[in-house]
Amino acid sequence: MLVVDDNAIIRRLQEAQLEALHVKLVAAADGAEALAMMSTIRPDLVLLDVVMPGLDGFRVCEALKADPATRDVPVMVVTALGKDARDRSLASGADDFMRKPPNTLLLRARAMVHLRIRWGGLAHNAASAGPLLLVTENPELSISVLSGLPGQVKLLRAASMEQAKAALAQGPTAMILDLALEGAVAFIRELRLSHADLPVLLAHWAEDFTVLEEEHPAVDD
């Protein structure tokens, strides 16, 4: 995993947050160094700052997504900037966006979702890769998720907790769960008893971008 940030303290903090994932971490201090490193290493996930000297994060992301050798590497932009930065990040090709300072558990969970999808795509062909389960009845959230998925990922859909429980029999490799659904938090706690290792990304749709852990502190686990 490549961590790109011009602030050494932030780099060390993110490395400490992600240490529990037991993946190899490498760091770059600016955009130019990150692009140079990408020619010799092939990380499975890039955590990318925006405000950096020289090439900013948007330009780095655009360069990564324009290069056939790196376009499939997921990029998560992590910045203190707000909604406009989120929109620009997604427009530049980023696969995910988080505000600084990221909640440790949320950062780990979202990183693992991208890593497992990435590893599944590398290890299996499209016919054998495990599916991703999307649980929502919100069409805007569905469109947002679908627009960011790599082409090799199979998708299962559920619009309720009962449908989600039935879909678990099909062996999803990860789940995206809409927190606005009735019973979502209780479902997560029940899920951990039977599927402790299943990565779950909690989704929250709002016209104004908000930080999930601030609105729903009870679901950090």
Side-chain angles (χ1 to χ4, degrees):
M1 187 185 304
L2 175 61
V3 177
V4 187
D5 199 297
D6 63 315
N7 188 315
I9 296 176
I10 296 297
R11 292 198 303 272
R12 288 195 292 270
L13 174 61
Q14 290 184 358
E15 289 169 357
Q17 289 177 303
L18 296 165
E19 186 178 17
L21 299 184
H22 303 293
V23 298
K24 182 178 180 180
L25 295 167
V26 292
D30 56 48
E33 182 181 6
L35 292 178
M37 293 177 67
M38 293 291 290
S39 66
T40 57
I41 65 172
R42 286 292 182 268
D44 291 318
L45 177 62
V46 176
L47 299 188
L48 182 61
D49 186 27
V50 170
V51 181
M52 296 183 292
L55 292 173
D56 64 26
F58 303 128
R59 293 166 65 190
V60 172
C61 188
E62 289 171 352
L64 292 175
K65 295 304 182 179
D67 187 342
T70 58
R71 66 177 50 158
D72 291 333
V73 177
V75 176
M76 181 188 298
V77 170
V78 184
T79 179
L81 301 179
K83 183 179 183 300
D84 290 344
R86 174 180 178 271
D87 294 342
R88 289 189 63 188
S89 298
L90 298 178
S92 67
D95 301 275
D96 205 345
F97 178 91
M98 290 193 72
R99 293 284 303 279
K100 285 183 181 179
N103 173 279
T104 297
L105 293 177
L106 188 58
L107 177 63
R108 290 175 185 170
R110 289 168 72 162
M112 280 307 303
V113 168
H114 290 291
L115 288 173
R116 293 198 179 190
I117 292 174
R118 169 77 169 165
W119 294 336
L122 293 174
H124 307 285
N125 58 34
S128 62
L132 173 68
L133 174 57
L134 172 62
V135 187
T136 183
E137 59 183 5
N138 186 314
E140 289 86 358
L141 180 57
S142 295
I143 292 171
S144 178
V145 169
L146 290 171
S147 66
L149 287 180
Q152 75 269 22
V153 175
K154 294 180 181 179
L155 186 67
L156 301 174
R157 298 197 197 190
S160 67
M161 298 303 98
E162 291 303 316
Q163 292 179 15
K165 291 177 183 177
L168 290 173
Q170 300 185 50
T173 56
M175 177 191 300
I176 300 176
L177 175 63
D178 187 352
L179 266 180
L181 284 174
E182 183 178 355
V185 174
F187 174 68
I188 284 290
R189 290 170 178 154
E190 179 182 342
L191 181 73
R192 285 297 167 232
L193 298 177
S194 58
H195 295 75
D197 296 329
L198 180 67
V200 178
L201 174 61
L202 301 179
H204 175 77
W205 181 265
E207 292 300 326
D208 295 322
F209 182 70
T210 54
V211 180
L212 176 62
E213 59 268 25
E214 291 180 355
E215 293 198 349
H216 301 280
V219 299
D220 281 347
D221 57 351

